Amino acid sequence: MKTKVLAGIGAVIISVGIGTAVYAQAGPETFREMLPFMREMHPNLGDSDLEQMYNSCHQGGRGFDSPGMMHNSMMRY
């Protein structure tokens, strides 16, 4: 009985983890798709400033080891 419960809990945890990763990968990918959201968040910046911000946040690869958005400002404990 305990094994079935633990297996069920493990399956749920794995499913939620995979679902979260897939959901995180979905979303606007290009500058053109992100521009309306960026204008809303930073109304005082011009399009060229927003494009420069987008490029600096998306340079290199993806992941925690690559340079990009919030990588330099993350607090490490």
Side-chain angles (χ1 to χ4, degrees):
M1 180 71 176
K2 288 183 179 180
T3 329
K4 290 182 180 179
V5 170
L6 289 175
I9 291 172
V12 168
I13 290 172
I14 289 172
S15 297
V16 169
I18 292 171
T20 302
V22 170
Y23 182 72
Q25 289 296 319
E29 293 291 328
T30 66
F31 173 69
R32 230 180 251 277
E33 292 171 336
M34 283 295 296
L35 190 56
F37 303 109
M38 294 176 75
R39 281 183 183 150
E40 184 177 335
M41 295 302 295
H42 307 282
N44 57 334
L45 297 178
D47 288 353
S48 62
D49 295 327
L50 293 173
E51 187 170 10
Q52 183 179 7
M53 180 191 303
Y54 176 85
N55 290 333
S56 68
C57 291
H58 290 91
Q59 65 188 358
R62 291 184 178 215
F64 290 109
D65 293 334
S66 65
M69 191 168 173
M70 298 184 347
H71 180 71
N72 294 329
S73 65
M74 290 177 58
M75 298 175 79
R76 297 177 191 229
Y77 296 99

